[in-house]
Amino acid sequence: QVQLVESGGGLVQPGGSLRLSCAASGFSLNYYAIGWFRQAPGKEREFVAGITWSGDTTSYADNVKGRFTISRDNLKNTVYLQMNSLKPEDMAVYYCAARPLSVSKRSTQYDDWGQGTQVTVSS
């Protein structure tokens, strides 16, 4: 079982930026795809971005394209989510999750999850 820990969340004003990190312990992230999901109060958990184990292929939800960038450093067993031009609708708890090889946009297809990090966007 992969152990994942998110960090980097916090309070930011609209238009600001945050960089989230997802660090693995106990297992290498090589051969795992990583997805970022978010869940706001009263809403379903939704896919945000994903990256394959090689880092060569990325995927984004339509409402974050051009604003968010996902990347990974396999030597550090860490995946990053750079979030720019943040909007109030981005406010949520952000989770990273791992599954074998390929990115999926379905949360039910991921076996390993972090505890989440809260992103608050407010003036």
Side-chain angles (χ1 to χ4, degrees):
Q1 183 177 340
V2 176
Q3 300 175 47
L4 303 171
V5 178
E6 301 95 336
S7 62
L11 175 64
V12 65
Q13 295 182 340
S17 298
L18 285 173
R19 188 193 192 198
L20 305 183
S21 297
C22 174
S25 62
F27 296 88
S28 172
L29 287 179
N30 287 342
Y31 301 102
Y32 284 87
I34 298 294
W36 282 98
F37 293 79
R38 67 187 182 187
Q39 188 165 24
K43 295 186 177 181
E44 297 288 324
R45 186 169 298 186
E46 65 174 351
F47 174 80
V48 177
I51 189 167
T52 58
W53 72 270
S54 68
D56 292 334
T57 302
T58 58
S59 181
Y60 298 92
D62 288 342
N63 57 0
V64 305
K65 287 181 179 178
R67 299 190 298 120
F68 291 9
T69 302
I70 188 171
S71 62
R72 69 188 298 166
D73 185 340
N74 287 342
L75 292 178
K76 296 181 178 179
N77 274 357
T78 301
V79 173
Y80 305 97
L81 184 67
Q82 178 67 45
M83 306 186 297
N84 299 326
S85 302
L86 283 163
K87 305 174 181 179
E89 53 262 44
D90 296 318
M91 188 184 311
V93 176
Y94 283 71
Y95 302 88
C96 65
R99 70 182 306 276
L101 296 179
S102 299
V103 171
S104 173
K105 296 182 179 181
R106 301 176 183 269
S107 62
T108 55
Q109 294 187 339
Y110 291 80
D111 295 325
D112 299 290
W113 292 81
Q115 294 183 351
T117 185
Q118 183 172 290
V119 172
T120 301
V121 185
S122 176
S123 298

